[in-house]
Amino acid sequence: MDKNRIRPKYCSLIVCSDCFMRCQMCTMWQQTNDKDKLGVEQWQNIITGLKDIMHPEGEICFTGGEPLLYEGIFELISHASTLGFRTGLNTNGYLIDREKIGEILRSRLWSITMPLESRRESTHDFMRGLSGSYRKVMKAVDVLSVASPQLNIGLAAVISAANLDDLVDLVSWVQDNPKVHSIRLQALMQPLGTPQDPQWYANDHYNAIWPKDKEKVRFVIDALIKLKEGGACKLNNPVAQLRIFLNYFSDPAVLPQAKKCIFQEEVVNINEEGDLFLCPRVGIIGSAKKENLSTLWNSERTNSIREKIKECKLSCDTVVNCFWE
């Protein structure tokens, strides 16, 4: 292997942007999707091509929208697993039933992440916009932990006014629950695809879920930091990131800058139409459907975009939630 070649460690495959949830913090379900989605064989060819460009211990995450709406999703996961990739699935958990659990087992999926906004059913269902979604997630955790003990089961929650009082209890529950391997918290952000607005959180809709009580935010995040420092190893957020959350909720207009953006070298994204990109702000590199993936990844076009990312001075919400170093 050429040590000088850039080999990303993480790949996000957005297999479809369709979703039936009505999440309070997302607008994806409101969008009309008439995109020309890749077929199973096209995705398989792309996944095979990823073997040539990714790190030997790389991970492919299948996401959406709701990836379980994509017919053939488990064929793709199985193909990636066969090629030696660690495979992850981000799903709302609602569609997981007996049949899909069997598919999960056969695909050799490595990890699954589902949302759990609160241990209170009403709060979770409100945030996710669909009655019964809490019970679906809880049942999926119970059944998957028995059917596939080797599967890494992770949960995720978005910090909002609706669940602020519940977060410490939620993290403590995960820490004590042998069925769940981890939980990751994310700050409420302006949804992708909406017009940039520095005052988006004051919008009538988001104002209802934006945590306006700064003292309460400080109290809760301080308590989460104490949990983390006290050995809550299942909380995936480092203390430094929790402190960034605190600063962010104090003044969301002032976002941190990354010392080195991980989009520059360590992450590659491909959407449902086959478009390859690094950072969603910088633009599309090219088509993984039409072009050789290795050639595309090592092209002057890609190098030019890496340089743009390297020189980027924007304060970025992605740094808060995903790549905060």
Side-chain angles (χ1 to χ4, degrees):
M1 182 178 72
D2 184 353
K3 294 182 179 179
N4 295 319
R5 287 183 63 186
I6 296 173
R7 289 186 174 270
K9 297 178 181 177
Y10 183 87
C11 176
S12 177
L13 299 184
I14 307 164
V15 295
C16 74
S17 56
D18 302 301
C19 190
F20 53 86
M21 288 280 183
R22 301 291 187 267
C23 298
Q24 298 292 328
M25 56 288 195
C26 180
T27 61
M28 190 171 286
W29 57 273
Q30 298 173 353
Q31 300 170 18
T32 301
N33 187 358
D34 55 359
K35 296 176 181 177
D36 183 18
K37 299 182 182 68
L38 297 177
V40 171
E41 186 175 348
Q42 290 173 311
W43 271 123
Q44 287 176 328
N45 290 336
I46 288 173
I47 292 168
T48 299
L50 286 169
K51 192 69 177 174
D52 293 329
I53 70 168
M54 287 188 69
H55 190 278
E57 297 178 359
E59 178 178 351
I60 295 178
C61 180
F62 296 87
T63 187
E66 173 47 56
L68 291 183
L69 289 174
Y70 181 82
E71 189 173 350
I73 181 63
F74 293 108
E75 291 180 66
L76 304 186
I77 295 172
S78 180
H79 184 64
S81 298
T82 298
L83 290 173
F85 288 109
R86 288 197 307 178
T87 52
L89 178 69
N90 287 343
T91 172
N92 60 43
Y94 198 89
L95 297 177
I96 294 178
D97 54 18
R98 186 184 299 274
E99 179 182 351
K100 286 194 171 53
I101 288 172
E103 297 271 23
I104 287 171
L105 292 174
R106 288 187 288 274
S107 71
R108 292 154 292 158
L109 181 69
W110 182 76
S111 70
I112 188 169
T113 302
M114 296 174 286
L116 187 63
E117 305 298 342
S118 169
R119 288 273 291 138
R120 289 190 295 166
E121 182 175 351
S122 59
T123 299
H124 176 88
D125 286 0
F126 164 73
M127 287 298 293
R128 291 291 159 176
L130 185 61
S131 178
S133 57
Y134 172 87
R135 295 187 182 187
K136 290 282 189 176
V137 170
M138 297 300 286
K139 183 177 180 180
V141 168
D142 286 342
V143 177
L144 283 169
S145 64
V146 174
S148 183
Q150 75 281 5
L151 179 66
N152 287 275
I153 299 174
L155 300 174
V158 176
I159 302 171
S160 70
N163 67 355
L164 193 58
D165 290 328
D166 306 335
L167 292 174
V168 173
D169 172 70
L170 178 61
V171 171
S172 297
W173 175 78
V174 169
Q175 184 63 33
D176 295 335
N177 190 338
K179 299 175 183 178
V180 182
H181 292 76
S182 65
I183 183 169
R184 188 167 189 85
L185 305 179
Q186 292 191 313
L188 179 65
M189 292 283 178
Q190 181 178 357
L192 286 173
T194 58
Q196 285 294 314
D197 179 4
Q199 296 293 317
W200 67 272
Y201 52 90
N203 173 285
D204 287 343
H205 173 75
Y206 300 112
N207 191 46
I209 56 175
W210 178 260
K212 294 179 283 293
D213 189 337
K214 294 181 181 180
E215 286 304 312
K216 181 184 285 189
V217 171
R218 179 175 294 277
F219 177 83
V220 170
I221 292 182
D222 282 347
L224 291 170
I225 290 173
K226 288 180 180 177
L227 279 178
K228 182 70 176 181
E229 292 179 333
C233 57
K234 290 186 181 181
L235 176 58
N236 270 355
N237 305 84
V239 169
Q241 187 182 27
L242 295 174
R243 292 194 173 113
I244 284 177
F245 287 165
L246 185 57
N247 293 336
Y248 166 73
F249 283 117
S250 296
D251 188 354
V254 180
L255 296 170
Q257 290 184 346
K259 295 177 182 177
K260 180 181 179 182
C261 182
I262 201 166
F263 282 138
Q264 187 179 338
E265 296 181 356
E266 296 188 33
V267 175
V268 59
N269 305 283
I270 303 174
N271 67 21
E272 61 192 316
E273 295 180 289
D275 297 325
L276 184 146
F277 61 98
L278 303 181
C279 170
R281 291 173 178 257
V282 177
I284 302 300
I285 294 173
S287 174
K289 175 174 66 174
K290 300 176 181 178
E291 303 175 62
N292 177 275
L293 195 54
S294 182
T295 301
L296 191 59
W297 179 252
N298 296 291
S299 68
E300 286 303 314
R301 166 72 173 155
T302 306
N303 288 333
S304 174
I305 286 181
R306 289 191 189 110
E307 286 301 312
K308 287 182 180 180
I309 295 173
K310 182 179 179 181
E311 299 300 323
C312 178
K313 302 300 181 185
L314 291 176
S315 291
C316 179
D317 53 6
T318 305
V319 178
V320 174
N321 273 337
C322 300
F323 309 120
W324 53 272
E325 285 90 348

